[in-house]
């Protein structure tokens, strides 16, 4: 669980960086682009796989089913 907590912390830091980048003074905010960048970062990160495996969940939500898939695939 400690590894999962550390992975979640790294992922939160990545999300914070994306938000800070999109909210820079003088920059027009593109909420749709920011949202999709966050979602892509989460889904493509190694950190989310670590967290999901710690929860005994499928580490990947997209693509071909894996032995851990619980039928909750979104893609």
């Amino acid at each position: 669980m400690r590894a999962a907590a550390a992975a979640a912390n790294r992922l939160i830091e990545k999300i914070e960086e994306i938000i800070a980048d999109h909210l820079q003074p003088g920059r027009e905010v593109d909420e749709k682009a920011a949202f999709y960048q966050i979602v892509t970062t989460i889904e493509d990160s190694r950190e989310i796989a670590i967290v999901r495996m710690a929860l005994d969940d499928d580490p990947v939500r997209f693509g071909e089913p894996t032995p851990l898939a619980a039928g909750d695939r979104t893609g």
Side-chain angles (χ1 to χ4, degrees), residues 17-47:
E17 289 174 10
I18 292 168
I19 293 168
D21 184 50
H22 282 271
L23 295 178
Q24 288 181 19
R27 180 177 176 175
E28 187 174 326
V29 177
D30 183 344
E31 294 163 350
K32 185 176 180 180
F35 172 79
Y36 283 106
Q37 186 178 0
I38 290 169
V39 170
T40 301
T41 298
I42 292 170
E43 290 302 325
D44 292 346
S45 73
R46 175 73 182 132
E47 290 87 358

Side-chain angles (χ1 to χ4, degrees), residues 1-18:
M1 284 307 257
R2 184 162 178 77
N9 188 54
R10 288 190 304 271
L11 187 54
I12 290 167
E13 289 172 357
K14 288 180 181 182
I15 293 167
E16 289 172 340
E17 289 174 10
I18 292 168

Side-chain angles (χ1 to χ4, degrees), residues 43 52 57-75:
E43 290 302 325
R52 288 177 178 149
D57 199 1
D58 186 9
V60 183
R61 294 204 189 231
F62 298 100
E64 295 299 317
T66 68
L68 295 174
D72 60 352
R73 298 194 156 277
T74 58

